[in-house]
Structures are given as C-alpha cells and as structure tokens.
PDB file of all heavy atoms in Angstrom:
ATOM      1  N   ILE A   1      44.259 138.307 222.928  1.00 98.00           N
ATOM      2  CA  ILE A   1      43.749 139.336 223.810  1.00 98.00           C
ATOM      3  C   ILE A   1      44.938 140.187 224.223  1.00 98.00           C
ATOM      4  O   ILE A   1      46.013 139.678 224.519  1.00 98.00           O
ATOM      5  CB  ILE A   1      43.002 138.739 225.024  1.00 98.00           C
ATOM      6  CG1 ILE A   1      42.320 139.834 225.846  1.00 98.00           C
ATOM      7  CG2 ILE A   1      43.919 137.890 225.898  1.00 98.00           C
ATOM      8  CD1 ILE A   1      41.275 139.288 226.826  1.00 98.00           C
ATOM      9  N   THR A   2      44.756 141.500 224.235  1.00 98.00           N
ATOM     10  CA  THR A   2      45.857 142.403 224.514  1.00 98.00           C
ATOM     11  C   THR A   2      45.922 142.757 225.997  1.00 98.00           C
ATOM     12  O   THR A   2      45.084 142.351 226.798  1.00 98.00           O
ATOM     13  CB  THR A   2      45.730 143.706 223.721  1.00 98.00           C
ATOM     14  OG1 THR A   2      44.687 144.521 224.303  1.00 98.00           O
ATOM     15  CG2 THR A   2      45.387 143.438 222.267  1.00 98.00           C
ATOM     16  N   TRP A   3      46.911 143.552 226.338  1.00 97.00           N
ATOM     17  CA  TRP A   3      47.098 143.995 227.714  1.00 97.00           C
ATOM     18  C   TRP A   3      45.916 144.807 228.230  1.00 97.00           C
ATOM     19  O   TRP A   3      45.723 144.904 229.447  1.00 97.00           O
ATOM     20  CB  TRP A   3      48.391 144.800 227.837  1.00 97.00           C
ATOM     21  CG  TRP A   3      48.355 146.158 227.167  1.00 97.00           C
ATOM     22  CD1 TRP A   3      48.164 147.356 227.774  1.00 97.00           C
ATOM     23  CD2 TRP A   3      48.518 146.435 225.776  1.00 97.00           C
ATOM     24  NE1 TRP A   3      48.194 148.370 226.856  1.00 97.00           N
ATOM     25  CE2 TRP A   3      48.409 147.835 225.609  1.00 97.00           C
ATOM     26  CE3 TRP A   3      48.749 145.660 224.644  1.00 97.00           C
ATOM     27  CZ2 TRP A   3      48.506 148.460 224.371  1.00 97.00           C
ATOM     28  CZ3 TRP A   3      48.851 146.275 223.404  1.00 97.00           C
ATOM     29  CH2 TRP A   3      48.734 147.657 223.282  1.00 97.00           C
ATOM     30  N   THR A   4      45.134 145.407 227.343  1.00 98.00           N
ATOM     31  CA  THR A   4      43.966 146.171 227.749  1.00 98.00           C
ATOM     32  C   THR A   4      42.696 145.330 227.826  1.00 98.00           C
ATOM     33  O   THR A   4      41.678 145.796 228.334  1.00 98.00           O
ATOM     34  CB  THR A   4      43.701 147.324 226.777  1.00 98.00           C
ATOM     35  OG1 THR A   4      43.328 146.802 225.500  1.00 98.00           O
ATOM     36  CG2 THR A   4      44.944 148.198 226.628  1.00 98.00           C
ATOM     37  N   GLY A   5      42.750 144.104 227.310  1.00 98.00           N
ATOM     38  CA  GLY A   5      41.581 143.248 227.272  1.00 98.00           C
ATOM     39  C   GLY A   5      40.844 143.235 225.950  1.00 98.00           C
ATOM     40  O   GLY A   5      39.825 142.549 225.823  1.00 98.00           O
ATOM     41  N   SER A   6      41.319 143.975 224.965  1.00 98.00           N
ATOM     42  CA  SER A   6      40.703 143.936 223.647  1.00 98.00           C
ATOM     43  C   SER A   6      41.068 142.640 222.938  1.00 98.00           C
ATOM     44  O   SER A   6      42.137 142.072 223.173  1.00 98.00           O
ATOM     45  CB  SER A   6      41.100 145.146 222.814  1.00 98.00           C
ATOM     46  OG  SER A   6      42.488 145.134 222.527  1.00 98.00           O
ATOM     47  N   THR A   7      40.202 142.176 222.051  1.00 98.00           N
ATOM     48  CA  THR A   7      40.396 140.894 221.375  1.00 98.00           C
ATOM     49  C   THR A   7      40.349 141.039 219.872  1.00 98.00           C
ATOM     50  O   THR A   7      39.667 141.913 219.330  1.00 98.00           O
ATOM     51  CB  THR A   7      39.333 139.876 221.803  1.00 98.00           C
ATOM     52  OG1 THR A   7      38.025 140.427 221.595  1.00 98.00           O
ATOM     53  CG2 THR A   7      39.499 139.505 223.264  1.00 98.00           C
ATOM     54  N   THR A   8      41.070 140.154 219.197  1.00 97.00           N
ATOM     55  CA  THR A   8      41.069 140.045 217.749  1.00 97.00           C
ATOM     56  C   THR A   8      41.108 138.571 217.397  1.00 97.00           C
ATOM     57  O   THR A   8      41.873 137.811 217.988  1.00 97.00           O
ATOM     58  CB  THR A   8      42.269 140.768 217.116  1.00 97.00           C
ATOM     59  OG1 THR A   8      42.255 142.147 217.492  1.00 97.00           O
ATOM     60  CG2 THR A   8      42.219 140.677 215.589  1.00 97.00           C
ATOM     61  N   TYR A   9      40.282 138.167 216.421  1.00 98.00           N
ATOM     62  CA  TYR A   9      40.161 136.754 216.069  1.00 98.00           C
ATOM     63  C   TYR A   9      40.440 136.516 214.596  1.00 98.00           C
ATOM     64  O   TYR A   9      40.238 137.403 213.757  1.00 98.00           O
ATOM     65  CB  TYR A   9      38.759 136.251 216.390  1.00 98.00           C
ATOM     66  CG  TYR A   9      38.319 136.489 217.807  1.00 98.00           C
ATOM     67  CD1 TYR A   9      37.293 137.383 218.097  1.00 98.00           C
ATOM     68  CD2 TYR A   9      38.927 135.824 218.863  1.00 98.00           C
ATOM     69  CE1 TYR A   9      36.883 137.606 219.399  1.00 98.00           C
ATOM     70  CE2 TYR A   9      38.532 136.044 220.175  1.00 98.00           C
ATOM     71  CZ  TYR A   9      37.510 136.933 220.431  1.00 98.00           C
ATOM     72  OH  TYR A   9      37.110 137.152 221.731  1.00 98.00           O
ATOM     73  N   SER A  10      40.862 135.294 214.290  1.00 97.00           N
ATOM     74  CA  SER A  10      40.969 134.880 212.904  1.00 97.00           C
ATOM     75  C   SER A  10      39.594 134.954 212.253  1.00 97.00           C
ATOM     76  O   SER A  10      38.615 134.468 212.830  1.00 97.00           O
ATOM     77  CB  SER A  10      41.508 133.450 212.823  1.00 97.00           C
ATOM     78  OG  SER A  10      41.391 132.937 211.514  1.00 97.00           O
ATOM     79  N   PRO A  11      39.487 135.556 211.062  1.00 97.00           N
ATOM     80  CA  PRO A  11      38.172 135.658 210.416  1.00 97.00           C
ATOM     81  C   PRO A  11      37.463 134.322 210.238  1.00 97.00           C
ATOM     82  O   PRO A  11      36.231 134.262 210.333  1.00 97.00           O
ATOM     83  CB  PRO A  11      38.498 136.308 209.065  1.00 97.00           C
ATOM     84  CG  PRO A  11      39.737 137.098 209.326  1.00 97.00           C
ATOM     85  CD  PRO A  11      40.525 136.263 210.294  1.00 97.00           C
ATOM     86  N   SER A  12      38.207 133.257 209.985  1.00 95.00           N
ATOM     87  CA  SER A  12      37.606 131.955 209.745  1.00 95.00           C
ATOM     88  C   SER A  12      37.022 131.326 210.998  1.00 95.00           C
ATOM     89  O   SER A  12      36.203 130.401 210.904  1.00 95.00           O
ATOM     90  CB  SER A  12      38.629 131.000 209.124  1.00 95.00           C
ATOM     91  OG  SER A  12      39.696 130.742 210.017  1.00 95.00           O
ATOM     92  N   LEU A  13      37.412 131.798 212.165  1.00 95.00           N
ATOM     93  CA  LEU A  13      36.961 131.225 213.424  1.00 95.00           C
ATOM     94  C   LEU A  13      36.188 132.202 214.290  1.00 95.00           C
ATOM     95  O   LEU A  13      35.680 131.816 215.347  1.00 95.00           O
ATOM     96  CB  LEU A  13      38.165 130.705 214.222  1.00 95.00           C
ATOM     97  CG  LEU A  13      38.987 129.591 213.574  1.00 95.00           C
ATOM     98  CD1 LEU A  13      40.246 129.334 214.377  1.00 95.00           C
ATOM     99  CD2 LEU A  13      38.159 128.325 213.455  1.00 95.00           C
ATOM    100  N   LYS A  14      36.083 133.436 213.868  1.00 94.00           N
ATOM    101  CA  LYS A  14      35.548 134.502 214.711  1.00 94.00           C
ATOM    102  C   LYS A  14      34.149 134.209 215.253  1.00 94.00           C
ATOM    103  O   LYS A  14      33.860 134.502 216.422  1.00 94.00           O
ATOM    104  CB  LYS A  14      35.544 135.815 213.939  1.00 94.00           C
ATOM    105  CG  LYS A  14      35.092 137.012 214.756  1.00 94.00           C
ATOM    106  CD  LYS A  14      35.214 138.300 213.959  1.00 94.00           C
ATOM    107  CE  LYS A  14      34.804 139.504 214.790  1.00 94.00           C
ATOM    108  NZ  LYS A  14      34.959 140.772 214.018  1.00 94.00           N
ATOM    109  N   SER A  15      33.296 133.627 214.435  1.00 95.00           N
ATOM    110  CA  SER A  15      31.910 133.413 214.845  1.00 95.00           C
ATOM    111  C   SER A  15      31.771 132.392 215.964  1.00 95.00           C
ATOM    112  O   SER A  15      30.721 132.336 216.616  1.00 95.00           O
ATOM    113  CB  SER A  15      31.067 132.986 213.646  1.00 95.00           C
ATOM    114  OG  SER A  15      31.489 131.737 213.141  1.00 95.00           O
ATOM    115  N   HIS A  16      32.798 131.591 216.192  1.00 96.00           N
ATOM    116  CA  HIS A  16      32.733 130.542 217.205  1.00 96.00           C
ATOM    117  C   HIS A  16      33.731 130.738 218.341  1.00 96.00           C
ATOM    118  O   HIS A  16      33.811 129.890 219.229  1.00 96.00           O
ATOM    119  CB  HIS A  16      32.981 129.176 216.571  1.00 96.00           C
ATOM    120  CG  HIS A  16      32.012 128.813 215.482  1.00 96.00           C
ATOM    121  ND1 HIS A  16      30.712 128.463 215.755  1.00 96.00           N
ATOM    122  CD2 HIS A  16      32.154 128.772 214.135  1.00 96.00           C
ATOM    123  CE1 HIS A  16      30.090 128.206 214.620  1.00 96.00           C
ATOM    124  NE2 HIS A  16      30.940 128.380 213.623  1.00 96.00           N
ATOM    125  N   THR A  17      34.477 131.831 218.332  1.00 98.00           N
ATOM    126  CA  THR A  17      35.603 132.000 219.245  1.00 98.00           C
ATOM    127  C   THR A  17      35.375 133.124 220.244  1.00 98.00           C
ATOM    128  O   THR A  17      34.855 134.193 219.891  1.00 98.00           O
ATOM    129  CB  THR A  17      36.891 132.294 218.460  1.00 98.00           C
ATOM    130  OG1 THR A  17      37.104 131.264 217.485  1.00 98.00           O
ATOM    131  CG2 THR A  17      38.095 132.353 219.393  1.00 98.00           C
ATOM    132  N   SER A  18      35.784 132.877 221.470  1.00 98.00           N
ATOM    133  CA  SER A  18      35.782 133.913 222.492  1.00 98.00           C
ATOM    134  C   SER A  18      37.025 133.756 223.364  1.00 98.00           C
ATOM    135  O   SER A  18      37.269 132.677 223.894  1.00 98.00           O
ATOM    136  CB  SER A  18      34.525 133.832 223.357  1.00 98.00           C
ATOM    137  OG  SER A  18      34.542 134.818 224.372  1.00 98.00           O
ATOM    138  N   ILE A  19      37.801 134.813 223.481  1.00 98.00           N
ATOM    139  CA  ILE A  19      38.964 134.846 224.364  1.00 98.00           C
ATOM    140  C   ILE A  19      38.679 135.857 225.470  1.00 98.00           C
ATOM    141  O   ILE A  19      38.255 136.981 225.198  1.00 98.00           O
ATOM    142  CB  ILE A  19      40.250 135.213 223.608  1.00 98.00           C
ATOM    143  CG1 ILE A  19      40.546 134.169 222.520  1.00 98.00           C
ATOM    144  CG2 ILE A  19      41.428 135.332 224.561  1.00 98.00           C
ATOM    145  CD1 ILE A  19      41.720 134.521 221.626  1.00 98.00           C
ATOM    146  N   SER A  20      38.912 135.455 226.693  1.00 98.00           N
ATOM    147  CA  SER A  20      38.682 136.332 227.830  1.00 98.00           C
ATOM    148  C   SER A  20      39.830 136.186 228.814  1.00 98.00           C
ATOM    149  O   SER A  20      40.748 135.391 228.598  1.00 98.00           O
ATOM    150  CB  SER A  20      37.342 136.026 228.504  1.00 98.00           C
ATOM    151  OG  SER A  20      37.283 134.676 228.933  1.00 98.00           O
ATOM    152  N   ARG A  21      39.775 136.951 229.907  1.00 98.00           N
ATOM    153  CA  ARG A  21      40.861 136.893 230.874  1.00 98.00           C
ATOM    154  C   ARG A  21      40.344 137.104 232.282  1.00 98.00           C
ATOM    155  O   ARG A  21      39.257 137.643 232.499  1.00 98.00           O
ATOM    156  CB  ARG A  21      41.921 137.946 230.551  1.00 98.00           C
ATOM    157  CG  ARG A  21      41.426 139.384 230.701  1.00 98.00           C
ATOM    158  CD  ARG A  21      42.520 140.381 230.417  1.00 98.00           C
ATOM    159  NE  ARG A  21      42.068 141.754 230.643  1.00 98.00           N
ATOM    160  CZ  ARG A  21      42.863 142.816 230.645  1.00 98.00           C
ATOM    161  NH1 ARG A  21      44.163 142.667 230.418  1.00 98.00           N
ATOM    162  NH2 ARG A  21      42.364 144.028 230.855  1.00 98.00           N
ATOM    163  N   ASP A  22      41.140 136.644 233.224  1.00 98.00           N
ATOM    164  CA  ASP A  22      40.898 136.873 234.637  1.00 98.00           C
ATOM    165  C   ASP A  22      42.194 137.436 235.195  1.00 98.00           C
ATOM    166  O   ASP A  22      43.141 136.693 235.468  1.00 98.00           O
ATOM    167  CB  ASP A  22      40.505 135.579 235.347  1.00 98.00           C
ATOM    168  CG  ASP A  22      40.121 135.791 236.794  1.00 98.00           C
ATOM    169  OD1 ASP A  22      40.539 136.799 237.396  1.00 98.00           O
ATOM    170  OD2 ASP A  22      39.397 134.934 237.347  1.00 98.00           O
ATOM    171  N   THR A  23      42.251 138.740 235.349  1.00 98.00           N
ATOM    172  CA  THR A  23      43.495 139.376 235.769  1.00 98.00           C
ATOM    173  C   THR A  23      43.876 139.015 237.203  1.00 98.00           C
ATOM    174  O   THR A  23      45.059 139.001 237.538  1.00 98.00           O
ATOM    175  CB  THR A  23      43.404 140.900 235.632  1.00 98.00           C
ATOM    176  OG1 THR A  23      42.309 141.396 236.415  1.00 98.00           O
ATOM    177  CG2 THR A  23      43.196 141.294 234.177  1.00 98.00           C
ATOM    178  N   SER A  24      42.895 138.714 238.045  1.00 98.00           N
ATOM    179  CA  SER A  24      43.197 138.340 239.419  1.00 98.00           C
ATOM    180  C   SER A  24      43.921 137.008 239.499  1.00 98.00           C
ATOM    181  O   SER A  24      44.673 136.765 240.436  1.00 98.00           O
ATOM    182  CB  SER A  24      41.927 138.306 240.271  1.00 98.00           C
ATOM    183  OG  SER A  24      41.077 137.241 239.893  1.00 98.00           O
ATOM    184  N   LYS A  25      43.692 136.140 238.527  1.00 98.00           N
ATOM    185  CA  LYS A  25      44.350 134.836 238.464  1.00 98.00           C
ATOM    186  C   LYS A  25      45.499 134.807 237.465  1.00 98.00           C
ATOM    187  O   LYS A  25      46.175 133.785 237.344  1.00 98.00           O
ATOM    188  CB  LYS A  25      43.341 133.753 238.102  1.00 98.00           C
ATOM    189  CG  LYS A  25      42.234 133.566 239.119  1.00 98.00           C
ATOM    190  CD  LYS A  25      41.280 132.464 238.683  1.00 98.00           C
ATOM    191  CE  LYS A  25      40.180 132.247 239.688  1.00 98.00           C
ATOM    192  NZ  LYS A  25      39.235 131.181 239.258  1.00 98.00           N
ATOM    193  N   ASN A  26      45.691 135.909 236.745  1.00 98.00           N
ATOM    194  CA  ASN A  26      46.717 135.983 235.706  1.00 98.00           C
ATOM    195  C   ASN A  26      46.529 134.857 234.681  1.00 98.00           C
ATOM    196  O   ASN A  26      47.470 134.153 234.307  1.00 98.00           O
ATOM    197  CB  ASN A  26      48.124 135.935 236.306  1.00 98.00           C
ATOM    198  CG  ASN A  26      49.123 136.747 235.497  1.00 98.00           C
ATOM    199  OD1 ASN A  26      48.791 137.804 234.965  1.00 98.00           O
ATOM    200  ND2 ASN A  26      50.357 136.263 235.406  1.00 98.00           N
ATOM    201  N   GLN A  27      45.287 134.717 234.230  1.00 98.00           N
ATOM    202  CA  GLN A  27      44.918 133.680 233.279  1.00 98.00           C
ATOM    203  C   GLN A  27      44.134 134.277 232.124  1.00 98.00           C
ATOM    204  O   GLN A  27      43.440 135.286 232.289  1.00 98.00           O
ATOM    205  CB  GLN A  27      44.051 132.604 233.944  1.00 98.00           C
ATOM    206  CG  GLN A  27      44.722 131.821 235.054  1.00 98.00           C
ATOM    207  CD  GLN A  27      43.769 130.852 235.708  1.00 98.00           C
ATOM    208  OE1 GLN A  27      42.564 131.086 235.787  1.00 98.00           O
ATOM    209  NE2 GLN A  27      44.305 129.736 236.196  1.00 98.00           N
ATOM    210  N   PHE A  28      44.238 133.645 230.969  1.00 98.00           N
ATOM    211  CA  PHE A  28      43.320 133.946 229.882  1.00 98.00           C
ATOM    212  C   PHE A  28      42.795 132.641 229.306  1.00 98.00           C
ATOM    213  O   PHE A  28      43.437 131.596 229.409  1.00 98.00           O
ATOM    214  CB  PHE A  28      43.944 134.862 228.812  1.00 98.00           C
ATOM    215  CG  PHE A  28      45.132 134.313 228.075  1.00 98.00           C
ATOM    216  CD1 PHE A  28      44.993 133.852 226.775  1.00 98.00           C
ATOM    217  CD2 PHE A  28      46.396 134.301 228.651  1.00 98.00           C
ATOM    218  CE1 PHE A  28      46.086 133.379 226.062  1.00 98.00           C
ATOM    219  CE2 PHE A  28      47.496 133.833 227.949  1.00 98.00           C
ATOM    220  CZ  PHE A  28      47.339 133.373 226.657  1.00 98.00           C
ATOM    221  N   THR A  29      41.593 132.718 228.712  1.00 98.00           N
ATOM    222  CA  THR A  29      40.872 131.515 228.344  1.00 98.00           C
ATOM    223  C   THR A  29      40.438 131.548 226.888  1.00 98.00           C
ATOM    224  O   THR A  29      40.302 132.605 226.280  1.00 98.00           O
ATOM    225  CB  THR A  29      39.624 131.319 229.215  1.00 98.00           C
ATOM    226  OG1 THR A  29      38.722 132.414 229.029  1.00 98.00           O
ATOM    227  CG2 THR A  29      40.012 131.239 230.685  1.00 98.00           C
ATOM    228  N   LEU A  30      40.227 130.362 226.353  1.00 98.00           N
ATOM    229  CA  LEU A  30      39.705 130.182 224.998  1.00 98.00           C
ATOM    230  C   LEU A  30      38.417 129.382 225.070  1.00 98.00           C
ATOM    231  O   LEU A  30      38.370 128.352 225.738  1.00 98.00           O
ATOM    232  CB  LEU A  30      40.724 129.441 224.129  1.00 98.00           C
ATOM    233  CG  LEU A  30      40.218 128.960 222.757  1.00 98.00           C
ATOM    234  CD1 LEU A  30      39.961 130.150 221.838  1.00 98.00           C
ATOM    235  CD2 LEU A  30      41.215 127.986 222.131  1.00 98.00           C
ATOM    236  N   GLN A  31      37.395 129.847 224.379  1.00 98.00           N
ATOM    237  CA  GLN A  31      36.169 129.087 224.197  1.00 98.00           C
ATOM    238  C   GLN A  31      35.870 129.004 222.712  1.00 98.00           C
ATOM    239  O   GLN A  31      35.786 130.033 222.032  1.00 98.00           O
ATOM    240  CB  GLN A  31      34.990 129.716 224.938  1.00 98.00           C
ATOM    241  CG  GLN A  31      35.141 129.687 226.456  1.00 98.00           C
ATOM    242  CD  GLN A  31      33.851 130.008 227.168  1.00 98.00           C
ATOM    243  OE1 GLN A  31      33.317 129.202 227.928  1.00 98.00           O
ATOM    244  NE2 GLN A  31      33.324 131.200 226.921  1.00 98.00           N
ATOM    245  N   LEU A  32      35.727 127.784 222.216  1.00 98.00           N
ATOM    246  CA  LEU A  32      35.424 127.529 220.822  1.00 98.00           C
ATOM    247  C   LEU A  32      34.147 126.710 220.794  1.00 98.00           C
ATOM    248  O   LEU A  32      34.137 125.555 221.219  1.00 98.00           O
ATOM    249  CB  LEU A  32      36.582 126.785 220.153  1.00 98.00           C
ATOM    250  CG  LEU A  32      36.524 126.583 218.638  1.00 98.00           C
ATOM    251  CD1 LEU A  32      36.578 127.927 217.921  1.00 98.00           C
ATOM    252  CD2 LEU A  32      37.674 125.687 218.193  1.00 98.00           C
ATOM    253  N   SER A  33      33.074 127.293 220.306  1.00 98.00           N
ATOM    254  CA  SER A  33      31.764 126.663 220.359  1.00 98.00           C
ATOM    255  C   SER A  33      31.484 125.825 219.122  1.00 98.00           C
ATOM    256  O   SER A  33      32.126 125.970 218.086  1.00 98.00           O
ATOM    257  CB  SER A  33      30.671 127.726 220.529  1.00 98.00           C
ATOM    258  OG  SER A  33      30.603 128.563 219.392  1.00 98.00           O
ATOM    259  N   SER A  34      30.494 124.946 219.243  1.00 97.00           N
ATOM    260  CA  SER A  34      30.018 124.124 218.130  1.00 97.00           C
ATOM    261  C   SER A  34      31.140 123.390 217.415  1.00 97.00           C
ATOM    262  O   SER A  34      31.243 123.408 216.190  1.00 97.00           O
ATOM    263  CB  SER A  34      29.235 124.991 217.138  1.00 97.00           C
ATOM    264  OG  SER A  34      28.157 125.650 217.763  1.00 97.00           O
ATOM    265  N   VAL A  35      31.970 122.725 218.174  1.00 98.00           N
ATOM    266  CA  VAL A  35      33.146 122.086 217.593  1.00 98.00           C
ATOM    267  C   VAL A  35      32.773 120.846 216.790  1.00 98.00           C
ATOM    268  O   VAL A  35      31.723 120.218 217.003  1.00 98.00           O
ATOM    269  CB  VAL A  35      34.178 121.721 218.670  1.00 98.00           C
ATOM    270  CG1 VAL A  35      34.690 122.984 219.362  1.00 98.00           C
ATOM    271  CG2 VAL A  35      33.596 120.740 219.681  1.00 98.00           C
ATOM    272  N   THR A  36      33.646 120.502 215.851  1.00 97.00           N
ATOM    273  CA  THR A  36      33.546 119.305 215.035  1.00 97.00           C
ATOM    274  C   THR A  36      34.858 118.542 215.137  1.00 97.00           C
ATOM    275  O   THR A  36      35.842 119.052 215.680  1.00 97.00           O
ATOM    276  CB  THR A  36      33.269 119.651 213.566  1.00 97.00           C
ATOM    277  OG1 THR A  36      34.460 120.177 212.971  1.00 97.00           O
ATOM    278  CG2 THR A  36      32.158 120.682 213.448  1.00 97.00           C
ATOM    279  N   PRO A  37      34.922 117.310 214.609  1.00 97.00           N
ATOM    280  CA  PRO A  37      36.198 116.588 214.629  1.00 97.00           C
ATOM    281  C   PRO A  37      37.344 117.342 213.955  1.00 97.00           C
ATOM    282  O   PRO A  37      38.514 117.083 214.259  1.00 97.00           O
ATOM    283  CB  PRO A  37      35.871 115.285 213.893  1.00 97.00           C
ATOM    284  CG  PRO A  37      34.432 115.057 214.206  1.00 97.00           C
ATOM    285  CD  PRO A  37      33.819 116.426 214.183  1.00 97.00           C
ATOM    286  N   GLN A  38      37.038 118.266 213.045  1.00 97.00           N
ATOM    287  CA  GLN A  38      38.081 119.058 212.397  1.00 97.00           C
ATOM    288  C   GLN A  38      38.759 120.035 213.347  1.00 97.00           C
ATOM    289  O   GLN A  38      39.790 120.608 212.997  1.00 97.00           O
ATOM    290  CB  GLN A  38      37.504 119.809 211.196  1.00 97.00           C
ATOM    291  CG  GLN A  38      37.028 118.900 210.072  1.00 97.00           C
ATOM    292  CD  GLN A  38      36.504 119.681 208.879  1.00 97.00           C
ATOM    293  OE1 GLN A  38      36.885 120.832 208.648  1.00 97.00           O
ATOM    294  NE2 GLN A  38      35.634 119.057 208.114  1.00 97.00           N
ATOM    295  N   ASP A  39      38.198 120.233 214.527  1.00 98.00           N
ATOM    296  CA  ASP A  39      38.815 121.081 215.540  1.00 98.00           C
ATOM    297  C   ASP A  39      39.805 120.313 216.410  1.00 98.00           C
ATOM    298  O   ASP A  39      40.427 120.910 217.302  1.00 98.00           O
ATOM    299  CB  ASP A  39      37.741 121.726 216.415  1.00 98.00           C
ATOM    300  CG  ASP A  39      36.885 122.711 215.644  1.00 98.00           C
ATOM    301  OD1 ASP A  39      37.461 123.614 214.995  1.00 98.00           O
ATOM    302  OD2 ASP A  39      35.641 122.566 215.679  1.00 98.00           O
ATOM    303  N   THR A  40      39.956 119.021 216.178  1.00 98.00           N
ATOM    304  CA  THR A  40      40.968 118.240 216.883  1.00 98.00           C
ATOM    305  C   THR A  40      42.351 118.793 216.567  1.00 98.00           C
ATOM    306  O   THR A  40      42.707 118.959 215.402  1.00 98.00           O
ATOM    307  CB  THR A  40      40.888 116.766 216.485  1.00 98.00           C
ATOM    308  OG1 THR A  40      39.650 116.215 216.938  1.00 98.00           O
ATOM    309  CG2 THR A  40      42.040 115.971 217.084  1.00 98.00           C
ATOM    310  N   ALA A  41      43.130 119.097 217.599  1.00 98.00           N
ATOM    311  CA  ALA A  41      44.437 119.712 217.397  1.00 98.00           C
ATOM    312  C   ALA A  41      45.179 119.785 218.715  1.00 98.00           C
ATOM    313  O   ALA A  41      44.605 119.573 219.786  1.00 98.00           O
ATOM    314  CB  ALA A  41      44.288 121.124 216.815  1.00 98.00           C
ATOM    315  N   VAL A  42      46.465 120.114 218.622  1.00 98.00           N
ATOM    316  CA  VAL A  42      47.220 120.557 219.779  1.00 98.00           C
ATOM    317  C   VAL A  42      47.019 122.063 219.886  1.00 98.00           C
ATOM    318  O   VAL A  42      47.240 122.796 218.912  1.00 98.00           O
ATOM    319  CB  VAL A  42      48.709 120.211 219.667  1.00 98.00           C
ATOM    320  CG1 VAL A  42      49.481 120.769 220.859  1.00 98.00           C
ATOM    321  CG2 VAL A  42      48.895 118.699 219.584  1.00 98.00           C
TER     322      VAL A  42
END
C-alpha cells in the first residue's frame, strides 16, 4: 500500500488479499482469506 492508500498485489495472491491502513493509528493491515496449510509462513 502506498502513501496515498493505493494497493498493488501479487497476481498469484490477488484474489484472496486485501491490504488496508489506519492513518490515525499509523498502522497497515493484511487480510488473506480462505487460507490453506500452504499459507503457513513467517
């Protein structure tokens, strides 16, 4: 997610990925839906 709030995703994950932000908290978040054991990672 950029300084303006626009987002770009990896094509292989785009359908399940959402990145958002909360500027008041200076935080950004990741949501990955419909996960499988193959999504296990650091």
Side-chain angles (χ1 to χ4, degrees):
I1 187 165
T2 74
W3 70 101
T4 66
S6 65
T7 54
T8 302
Y9 306 112
S10 169
S12 64
L13 298 171
K14 184 176 182 179
S15 64
H16 301 287
T17 305
S18 178
I19 299 174
S20 58
R21 66 178 184 171
D22 185 337
T23 58
S24 69
K25 297 180 179 179
N26 212 37
Q27 297 176 329
F28 63 104
T29 62
L30 169 69
Q31 294 193 119
L32 188 64
S33 65
S34 303
V35 297
T36 74
Q38 295 182 25
D39 293 307
T40 294
V42 177

